[in-house]
């Protein structure tokens, strides 16, 4: 569904978000290589995905929240 056809309370699907990200990267000339994998909900699964795709870097998880006041908060954890 196109954004202007979506009602205010409808959220984009994961596939729509993924496609948007790919389009932004492509337009920006960012060198990227997408990897589709299962949901990564813990560091153990993250390690398995990292090994499978031979990825490097530091694993982090983030949680982005909007409070009742409208303020936004982001919590970030780092694999340790």
């Amino acid at each position: 569904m196109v954004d202007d056809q979506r009602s205010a309370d409808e959220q984009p699907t994961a596939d729509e978000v993924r496609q948007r990200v790919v389009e932004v990267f492509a337009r920006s000339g960012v060198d990227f290589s997408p990897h589709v994998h299962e949901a990564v909900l813990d560091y153990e699964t993250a390690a398995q995905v990292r090994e499978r795709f031979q990825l490097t870097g530091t694993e982090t998880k983030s949680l982005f929240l909007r409070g009742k006041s409208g303020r936004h908060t982001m919590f970030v954890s780092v694999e340790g």
Side-chain angles (χ1 to χ4, degrees):
M1 180 179 291
V2 179
D3 283 358
D4 57 0
Q5 296 174 340
R6 187 184 312 281
S7 70
D9 60 337
E10 281 185 287
Q11 298 296 314
T13 66
D15 286 336
E16 290 171 330
V17 171
R18 187 178 302 110
Q19 184 59 37
R20 257 193 244 163
V21 169
V22 167
E23 289 170 1
V24 168
F25 282 1
R27 279 196 314 268
S28 301
V30 173
D31 184 26
F32 67 98
S33 178
H35 299 281
V36 178
H37 55 79
E38 68 274 19
V40 176
L41 303 176
D42 55 47
Y43 289 122
E44 182 180 334
T45 305
Q48 294 167 356
V49 170
R50 237 185 356 259
E51 184 177 329
R52 185 179 328 134
F53 292 106
Q54 299 176 358
L55 302 173
T56 59
T58 301
E59 181 67 32
T60 64
K61 292 288 183 188
S62 60
L63 180 60
F64 188 73
L65 304 169
R66 182 176 58 206
K68 290 181 182 179
S69 68
R71 288 188 62 196
H72 294 92
T73 305
M74 178 184 255
F75 296 95
V76 179
S77 66
V78 178
E79 182 178 31

